[in-house]
Amino acid sequence: MLEVVLNDRLGKKVRIKCNEDDTIGDLKKLVAAQTGTRAEKIRIQKWYTVYKDHITLRDYEIHDGMGLELYYN
Amino acid sequence: MANRTDPAAKSIRGTNPQNLVEKILRSKIYQNTYWKEQCFGLTAETLVDKAMELDHLGGTYGGNCKPTPFMCLVMKMLQIQPEKDIVVEFIKNDDYKYVRILGAFYLRLTGTDVDVYRYLEPLYNDYRKLRQKLADGKFALTHVDEVIDELLTKDYSCDIALPRIKKRRTLESIGSLEPRKSVLEDDFEEEEEKEENEQIDGLDNGVDERDYYHGRSPIRERDRDRRRESHRYRDRDYDRDYDRDYDRERGRGRERDRDRERDRDRERERDRDRDRDRDRYRIREEKDYGREREREKEREGRERERRDRDRGRRRSHSRSRSRSRDRKRHGRSSSPKRRADGPDEPKKKKEKKEKKDDGTDHPDPEIAEANKLRAALGLKPLKL
């Protein structure tokens, strides 16, 4: 289990507990449940890399405590 | 300027009509080529021509959320705000299904509740196929009535949050609308009549079979089982139960019962051993301990009798035993739970295990809550 921090720099900062083999799509669903936006509207980035929905966190080498950027479509 | 709403347009739901589409999607539409080239300077009439050229509907697609031409035309309609009769004309026209859907969508966004139901419900009868563009860019098949159903029941369609409208029942209760009369109502009535006729015919034929089955109807057996199990959970009286069942099933199910007894006995023996071990480590009063021993002794005696399979002796002993057990019941209530449930026990254990697999029973409340949310979303629980 790991905990990632997503920040949209406009006031929304959320900590999400998830598994390493969850996909980014699952992570977006969890973020949507916590923030209230729709899951399809969320975009997770790291600098200019937009994370794709079907790849797992482990494959993206996202570790515990890592910060991701939260954007909206 | 191209993106400003018509100054003569009324405000919808308290705001600029274009604000019905949220900011990000709106800016995407303004930057779209189709909007810039084709939707510049459109009026209501020229808009109809553009609408006739539509061949698919949808929201945004692709990695950078490109809007479809359908979206751009919806935006244009919000910008110029055509009259209500023009929109109704769009909906009523029969030749071009995408024009119809465009009108229906616009009316859902801007019309009053009563108008929405009044004009959109007749479209339930339209079964034509439509092409829908999904978020990944591929096309999917849908139908006009499916889209209308989405518009009337869901609150999000084609990437636009639909404004809330009152439920149909509320409008009916205040009298603005009549109760819904489905076009299929006549068909339903015919089918109901057919079913009734069939039932009547069926009853005449199979009377004898029915009676036989009534005697051993599954419902009564179920009730019997339920009663039997409920007593087991109280974990007294199963002997009394056994007698009751024994009397009832004298005719047929005695074999079944005997087998069940055998299983029960086996379980009880196992339980007794387990309980004995468990009990040794528990702090008890002398009273309880004495009572437990007595109970166990009695159980052994009971089993011996069962092995004999002598009905009369068993019955009389059970009566005395139940009496003595009544006396002991008050004391037993303080003693630890004893479960000799036989076939129920493995089932209950499985249920408990399943709950723990879900992770919602975790002692840490944060993790339990996270697991609950994950279960609601259809994800596996957290791996700790």
Side-chain angles (χ1 to χ4, degrees):
Chain A
M1 180 186 84
L2 51 98
E3 194 170 28
V4 282
V5 184
L6 290 106
N7 191 354
D8 78 341
R9 306 228 164 217
L10 294 170
K12 238 178 243 175
K13 188 166 180 180
V14 286
R15 302 172 75 89
I16 308 276
K17 285 190 177 45
C18 49
N19 288 333
E20 286 149 341
D21 50 2
D22 281 343
T23 61
I24 295 283
D26 300 338
L27 182 63
K28 284 185 184 176
K29 282 190 209 164
L30 291 166
V31 173
Q34 225 166 309
T35 61
T37 350
R38 298 186 69 93
E40 306 93 46
K41 298 267 175 207
I42 291 176
R43 196 167 74 220
I44 299 181
Q45 276 182 229
K46 187 102 187 131
W47 200 231
Y48 282 117
T49 317
V50 179
Y51 282 172
K52 295 197 166 70
D53 281 1
H54 57 279
I55 300 183
T56 61
L57 297 182
R58 183 186 283 131
D59 290 339
Y60 270 132
E61 296 191 359
I62 295 175
H63 302 299
D64 187 26
M66 202 157 139
L68 299 174
E69 290 154 39
L70 188 59
Y71 289 92
Y72 301 100
N73 276 330
Chain B
M1 298 249 276
N3 296 335
R4 235 173 3 148
T5 324
D6 186 321
K10 284 178 289 171
S11 74
I12 293 189
R13 299 182 199 263
T15 175
N16 187 342
Q18 290 194 73
N19 289 352
L20 283 172
V21 178
E22 54 157 24
K23 183 78 169 70
I24 298 178
L25 179 55
R26 222 185 312 146
S27 8
K28 289 260 162 69
I29 293 180
Y30 292 155
Q31 293 157 10
N32 189 342
T33 335
Y34 184 82
W35 171 267
K36 288 181 184 168
E37 292 173 356
Q38 318 282 349
C39 299
F40 183 77
L42 278 188
T43 61
E45 299 86 33
T46 41
L47 185 117
V48 181
D49 301 330
K50 287 278 181 239
M52 291 198 301
E53 289 167 19
L54 273 178
D55 67 345
H56 64 275
L57 71 129
T60 55
Y61 64 94
N64 51 352
C65 298
K66 200 160 169 242
T68 55
F70 182 79
M71 286 270 91
C72 298
L73 288 179
V74 171
M75 192 62 169
K76 198 68 193 177
M77 285 182 81
L78 286 170
Q79 197 181 41
I80 61 178
Q81 209 177 67
E83 306 280 325
K84 187 174 157 199
D85 21 347
I86 301 181
V87 181
V88 174
E89 271 308 310
F90 273 32
I91 296 178
K92 281 198 181 146
N93 109 93
D94 211 20
D95 307 322
Y96 296 94
K97 46 194 180 180
Y98 291 102
V99 177
R100 198 174 232 188
I101 287 285
L102 184 68
F105 200 87
Y106 178 78
L107 188 67
R108 175 66 176 85
L109 289 178
T110 59
T112 61
D113 306 356
V114 179
D115 281 343
V116 165
Y117 283 110
R118 203 189 302 153
Y119 291 112
L120 260 53
E121 271 180 1
L123 294 184
Y124 269 131
N125 306 333
D126 192 342
Y127 304 123
R128 288 181 287 192
K129 293 186 197 165
L130 291 173
R131 199 187 290 143
Q132 186 180 29
K133 196 149 194 171
L134 302 170
D136 52 4
K138 299 202 182 105
F139 286 105
L141 176 69
T142 180
H143 300 83
V144 176
D145 50 352
E146 282 178 35
V147 177
I148 299 290
D149 190 46
E150 237 186 67
L151 289 181
L152 285 178
T153 48
K154 306 228 174 83
D155 56 11
Y156 197 79
S157 174
C158 290
D159 281 344
I160 294 183
L162 305 173
R164 301 268 168 91
I165 51 172
K166 296 192 194 71
K167 290 208 195 292
R168 198 171 209 295
R169 226 189 289 169
T170 326
L171 291 172
E172 280 170 28
S173 63
I174 62 179
S176 323
L177 274 182
E178 279 145 24
R180 173 138 183 266
K181 189 176 185 306
S182 165
V183 178
L184 297 172
E185 218 174 80
D186 302 328
D187 294 344
F188 277 138
E189 282 175 14
E190 276 179 33
E191 275 205 36
E192 276 180 31
E193 285 175 17
K194 259 194 232 166
E195 274 179 34
E196 283 177 21
N197 292 338
E198 277 174 16
Q199 275 183 13
I200 294 170
D201 292 337
L203 275 175
D204 288 337
N205 291 337
V207 171
D208 299 326
E209 291 173 5
R210 281 287 165 73
D211 280 346
Y212 177 73
Y213 279 115
H214 264 297
R216 322 272 332 144
S217 75
I219 300 168
R220 284 179 67 213
E221 286 195 23
R222 238 184 290 138
D223 284 343
R224 231 181 290 135
D225 287 343
R226 220 181 291 136
R227 243 173 284 149
R228 205 186 294 146
E229 284 167 14
S230 69
H231 283 288
R232 275 202 204 106
Y233 292 151
R234 254 193 277 142
D235 74 63
R236 313 158 185 155
D237 302 345
Y238 45 73
D239 198 52
R240 207 191 279 162
D241 260 348
Y242 166 73
D243 286 332
R244 206 189 295 142
D245 297 336
Y246 188 86
D247 291 340
R248 226 183 276 136
E249 297 186 342
R250 202 180 310 163
R252 253 178 156 217
R254 216 197 308 165
E255 302 259 348
R256 236 187 302 137
D257 267 357
R258 249 182 260 138
D259 290 340
R260 223 177 279 134
E261 279 169 49
R262 247 180 263 131
D263 292 342
R264 233 188 282 158
D265 293 347
R266 254 180 259 132
E267 287 289 338
R268 231 174 278 129
E269 287 190 41
R270 243 186 282 141
D271 288 342
R272 216 185 318 125
D273 293 338
R274 216 183 299 128
D275 287 342
R276 230 183 268 141
D277 291 339
R278 219 196 298 149
D279 292 344
R280 238 179 261 145
Y281 298 109
R282 282 230 187 88
I283 304 163
R284 279 146 122 246
E285 296 177 354
E286 280 297 305
K287 281 191 286 176
D288 283 345
Y289 189 73
R291 261 189 222 117
E292 295 280 336
R293 300 282 303 289
E294 269 179 78
R295 216 190 310 139
E296 284 168 22
K297 279 196 200 137
E298 279 203 349
R299 253 204 223 120
E300 287 177 18
R302 227 183 287 138
E303 272 159 32
R304 235 179 287 128
E305 278 155 22
R306 258 188 214 115
R307 266 180 241 124
D308 294 340
R309 280 185 199 163
D310 189 352
R311 211 192 306 164
R313 219 197 298 161
R314 225 180 296 146
R315 269 228 214 103
S316 62
H317 269 270
S318 75
R319 264 188 229 124
S320 66
R321 226 178 294 130
S322 51
R323 249 183 273 135
S324 61
R325 243 196 291 115
D326 278 333
R327 259 178 256 137
K328 272 201 250 144
R329 200 178 297 156
H330 305 295
R332 269 185 77 173
S333 56
S334 57
S335 59
K337 254 188 272 182
R338 183 77 68 87
R339 209 158 288 132
D341 296 335
D344 281 342
E345 202 186 326
K347 250 187 256 168
K348 279 168 80 180
K349 275 196 166 163
K350 265 186 216 156
E351 280 175 25
K352 270 190 170 172
K353 270 191 191 146
E354 277 174 26
K355 278 189 191 153
K356 279 179 187 155
D357 282 347
D358 211 5
T360 48
D361 291 1
H362 201 272
D364 187 353
E366 264 188 50
I367 296 183
E369 211 185 293
N371 279 331
K372 221 195 304 179
L373 173 63
R374 289 176 71 95
L377 290 173
L379 301 170
K380 288 190 211 140
L382 289 170
K383 271 180 235 158
L384 301 159

